[in-house]
Amino acid sequence: MPILSRPALVEHLVRTRIAGDVATPRDNNLSHYRKLANGDRHYWLGLELGDRWADEQDVLAVMAERCGVIDDPAHRAGQDTIDPELTVDALDRMAARLRKAAAGKERVLFATGHPGALIDAHGRVAAALRAKGCDIVRIPGGLVADEGYVVQFADVAVFERGASLWHTHSPEPMNAVLDALGEAGRPDLVVADHGWAGRAAQRGVDSVGYADCNDPALFIGEAEGTMQVTVPLDDHVVDPRFYEPMTAYLLDAAGLTA
């Protein structure tokens, strides 16, 4: 796949609605910001936020700055946005961390709570890091969490229940993995999303990941310095192949292309 220039990637992100005018509606975003501020841990994505974000307007301000949602508390319904320039800026920051991982031949764990959308993007990065000599974590077998199993496909840890891969925000699958690995098997870096990324960061592992505009916790985690990088994007667009140019750009920026 040809590597897109930054302007061409921005155009692609907007055209495919990975960024720009995204499908997630404004009222859904605000509802999630309010629930995070009210202490609903489902929306903390494995981070421990204490009482530092009890005002939903503070959450909105972070999301406007780091994700590009509309910075107007009076805008309560209709369209919301992700700034594609912020998406590419964050991809560049992620690329810098991946470049460091490759240079140090680090031990890297990949995981996703969005297997229907992001498993291929994560898997491509895992393969590229392995080709550079990184140790891609193979999780132990038989791990259980949230009445299901933690399994691995194409080097990416996912949550399985009832013979299906599940969309999950829970941090418990990451807890299960890190507990099973122990200190001796602890990764140097986690590349993930949702509660997988947040809980790894909370437990002191370098963590970079992707987050949608209705998932404010990982952006707050980056603002506080717990998460290293959070890339804003719609995390489940209609065709997973739409992420391929973005992934190619990321790998090229990280020096991981052949």
Side-chain angles (χ1 to χ4, degrees):
M1 175 174 293
I3 308 302
L4 298 182
S5 66
R6 181 183 179 113
L9 179 60
V10 166
E11 188 279 331
H12 170 79
L13 296 174
V14 172
R15 178 171 50 80
T16 58
R17 301 186 75 184
I18 293 173
D21 290 340
V22 293
T24 310
R26 176 67 168 193
D27 56 342
N28 182 264
N29 284 346
L30 295 181
S31 172
H32 287 202
Y33 304 169
R34 185 178 312 112
K35 289 173 181 177
L36 180 147
N38 288 340
D40 187 334
R41 286 176 173 267
H42 175 78
Y43 297 92
W44 288 13
L45 300 182
L47 294 166
E48 293 297 332
L49 303 180
D51 59 0
R52 299 185 298 279
W53 297 93
D55 186 338
E56 66 182 276
Q57 300 307 319
D58 291 339
V59 179
L60 175 59
V62 168
M63 294 303 292
E65 175 188 9
R66 293 181 174 267
C67 184
V69 302
I70 297 168
D71 188 15
D72 179 3
H75 179 56
R76 310 296 300 177
Q79 185 66 54
D80 214 338
T81 58
I82 293 174
D83 184 342
E85 297 288 349
L86 293 178
T87 302
V88 182
D89 286 346
L91 288 171
D92 288 339
R93 296 196 303 276
M94 182 183 282
R97 185 60 186 85
L98 295 176
R99 185 183 291 272
K100 177 183 176 183
K105 293 181 169 49
E106 291 182 347
R107 181 168 166 79
V108 187
L109 171 64
F110 289 82
T112 184
H114 253 298
L118 296 175
I119 192 169
D120 186 58
H122 285 304
R124 287 170 184 259
V125 178
L129 283 176
R130 174 179 279 112
K132 295 293 186 180
C134 287
D135 178 13
I136 305 304
V137 173
R138 183 175 174 87
I139 69 171
L143 299 183
V144 296
D146 295 332
E147 301 181 345
Y149 295 93
V150 186
V151 295
Q152 197 166 29
F153 292 95
D155 293 321
V156 185
V158 293
F159 178 67
E160 184 270 337
R161 188 174 176 184
S164 297
L165 303 186
W166 277 46
H167 170 215
T168 179
H169 287 216
S170 173
E172 293 309 318
M174 180 57 79
N175 275 335
V177 171
L178 293 179
D179 289 347
L181 291 173
E183 283 302 312
R186 180 184 176 92
D188 301 303
L189 175 66
V190 164
V191 184
D193 48 69
H194 284 178
W196 298 90
R199 181 48 55 92
Q202 187 63 47
R203 291 183 59 162
V205 181
D206 282 5
S207 183
V208 300
Y210 304 102
D212 209 329
C213 55
N214 63 352
D215 290 330
L218 298 189
F219 296 99
I220 288 173
E222 186 179 9
E224 291 193 328
T226 309
M227 284 288 299
Q228 293 215 333
V229 181
T230 301
V231 178
L233 48 68
D234 186 315
D235 57 14
H236 202 141
V237 294
V238 295
D239 188 342
R241 289 174 292 187
F242 289 163
Y243 297 107
E244 290 178 357
M246 179 194 80
T247 306
Y249 176 94
L250 173 66
L251 293 174
D252 183 67
L256 297 177
T257 51

